[in-house]
Amino acid sequence: MPGVSNFRSIISRAWPGALVGLIAGFCALAVAELVAALVRPPAGPVTVVGGAVIDRTPAVVKDFAIRTFGESDKTALQLGILAVLALIAMGLGMVALRRRHVGAAGILLFGVVGSVAALSRPDAGRIDVLPSATGALGGAAALYLLAAKPSIEPSRVPQDGDGKGGWSRRGFLTTAAVTAGAAVGIGVLGRFLGGQQGQSAVASRNNLALPAPVSPAPSVPAGARLRVPGISPFITPNRDFYRVDTALVVPKVDADTWRLRIHGKGVTRSRTYTLSELLNRPLIERDITLTCVSNEIGGPYTGNARWLGIPLGELLAECGVKPPSTGGPADQLVARSVDGMTLGSPLEDVMDGRDAMLAVGMNGEPLPFDHGFPVRMLVPGLYGYVSACKWIESIELTTFDAYDPYWVKRRWARRAPVKTQSRIDTPKPFARPAVGTVTVAGVAWAQHRGISRVQIRIDDGPWQDADLAAQDTTDTWRQWSYRWQATPGGHHLTVRATDGTGQVQTEQRTRTVPDGASGRHGVFVTVT
């Protein structure tokens, strides 16, 4: 059949080039991985290109990625980058069979792209171009080698023993296998060395003994934890606490070499602190609920933990910092992470007496690496993107007019107090509970204002008060429950909360951009 014959002909001509390109691309990434391990692991090409993509992605697209992929958004991005690189590498391999210098030049061009991306990172140094540059050289050399013999082109590949010169098919495949094997070895070595670089940070965390707080958290009231199957636990375990950030590689910071600098406008005494110096200060322990601004209505990106830390307001005051209300020249605190992320907080909120802190502990242990070890910042009542800097290394006092932090440059709001929200945890959407008494339960939060009331509506009926669990503090979420006498058929359940100021959760639905989602959570169930 002519169609099948033509298809087979195309495939037979394409596969050697595609294979050559894939192997060359793999060699490039393996060499880059090894060099990054020797230079600086975050300078690897996939990491820097991924970071550059994140930085240039519009807020609405980032919001879509978080909503669609959840905490796997960074994995999805990395897999997408690798897939695109694989396709391009296969194309360059096919080109190289005809014009190998063009194919090699294409791989070198991607080395330039990776180097430019590396230099664009906020924490970059000139040496960060080495992984992408050397990886491209290695990949181009592999491509040039594998495509060097015209006889590997299918129309000219001699069969074994035909005596026509050049590589036989077996010789080509052997060389390709050896090259790929070498790339695997280089990549494994790079992974091993990169992992070794983080061992000192792991050891410093394992050896860290957290001091007892001078001001312990009050005991959680007995009635604050409801025994309802399916409800979110009052304290979120560290393993289940949400993680939303832009770090493709979680920073592994050695606590022994970590430093925090406080400087800027209105700072009369600039200071640099070690972790030991901070731990020798009086520590406070507080239960605080954190919420990500990317949390959709009813979403999972909120959690409650017991935090141990240094009161931030007191630390700033010792450096001579005054809030704007008492004549201070700065109105914005810019926190910088070791990976270059910047978050801006209203200085007035940080120093108004709330339990803003530099946290060193989470639920009785040093901060996990995913959550900012050795030190992160917390300001109750503000969304994380304007308050909860992880892996913090610098605090600069400035003004909102003088500087726009990372997210503000991407059209998120400068100021973002947490909105009053509530969520139905059980029953789940599209559940099929039995006729009779059904316990509807969930959590509500309005950090720094507290929750005074939660109400449930069945279909278009009247709002009815739910039973509130005891309140721990105004900075934590509050559990609630409602015993519903369920009747057969489909029903829509809606929840709303009232905060401590008397403000009722709005029904007007908005997306997360620019300052957090609003609206009321609801679920549809079918009672059988």
Side-chain angles (χ1 to χ4, degrees), residues 159-177:
Q159 298 303 312
D160 294 330
D162 66 0
K164 293 185 178 179
W167 285 359
S168 68
R169 187 182 301 271
R170 179 182 298 173
F172 164 65
L173 292 176
T174 300
T175 304

Side-chain angles (χ1 to χ4, degrees), residues 32-33 35-37 39-49 114-115 117-118 121 123-125 127-133 249:
E33 186 82 20
V35 176
V39 174
R40 200 172 70 92
V46 175
T47 301
V48 296
V49 170
S115 298
R121 309 309 303 138
D123 56 340
I127 200 170
D128 285 2
V129 304
L130 288 179
S132 294
V249 176

Side-chain angles (χ1 to χ4, degrees), residues 159-346:
Q159 298 303 312
D160 294 330
D162 66 0
K164 293 185 178 179
W167 285 359
S168 68
R169 187 182 301 271
R170 179 182 298 173
F172 164 65
L173 292 176
T174 300
T175 304
V178 170
T179 306
V184 170
I186 293 171
V188 170
L189 178 61
R191 285 282 178 177
F192 173 77
L193 294 177
Q196 290 297 108
Q197 286 202 1
Q199 291 306 305
S200 62
V202 173
S204 71
R205 182 179 184 275
N206 292 339
N207 296 331
L208 182 63
L210 295 176
V214 172
S215 175
S219 298
V220 177
R225 294 183 172 96
L226 298 182
R227 298 181 180 275
V228 177
I231 197 172
S232 299
F234 181 74
I235 294 292
T236 308
N238 289 355
R239 66 180 180 276
D240 297 330
F241 209 94
Y242 75 90
R243 178 198 163 202
V244 177
D245 54 52
T246 63
L248 289 176
V249 176
V250 174
K252 296 280 181 67
V253 181
D254 189 330
D256 297 327
T257 59
W258 174 86
R259 298 291 185 271
L260 173 70
R261 182 186 178 208
I262 299 178
H263 62 109
K265 199 175 184 68
V267 177
T268 59
R269 295 177 294 278
S270 297
R271 289 289 307 272
T272 298
Y273 295 91
T274 65
L275 183 60
S276 295
E277 289 172 333
L278 292 181
L279 294 179
N280 286 330
R281 299 176 62 87
L283 304 185
I284 61 173
E285 182 183 60
R286 297 290 185 266
D287 294 337
I288 299 172
T289 297
L290 296 187
T291 304
C292 178
V293 73
S294 294
N295 197 44
E296 296 279 354
I297 299 302
Y301 303 127
T302 185
N304 188 49
R306 176 158 289 188
W307 306 92
L308 177 72
I310 300 89
L312 182 53
E314 294 179 9
L315 197 66
L316 294 173
E318 289 182 11
C319 295
V321 178
K322 295 180 180 180
S325 60
T326 60
D331 60 10
Q332 180 181 207
L333 180 157
V334 175
R336 284 183 172 83
S337 167
V338 298
D339 65 353
M341 172 58 67
T342 56
L343 305 183
S345 307

Side-chain angles (χ1 to χ4, degrees), residues 26-94:
F26 184 41
C27 286
L29 291 178
V31 172
E33 186 82 20
L34 176 59
V35 176
L38 298 173
V39 174
R40 200 172 70 92
V46 175
T47 301
V48 296
V49 170
V53 170
I54 291 174
D55 288 350
R56 288 157 180 78
T57 300
V60 291
V61 178
K62 284 191 179 77
D63 188 47
F64 169 79
I66 293 173
R67 186 170 65 253
T68 304
F69 299 107
E71 295 183 28
S72 300
D73 58 334
K74 288 170 280 295
T75 301
L77 173 61
Q78 289 173 311
L79 290 175
I81 291 173
L82 290 174
V84 170
L85 289 177
L87 290 173
I88 294 174
M90 288 190 290
L92 290 174
M94 287 185 279

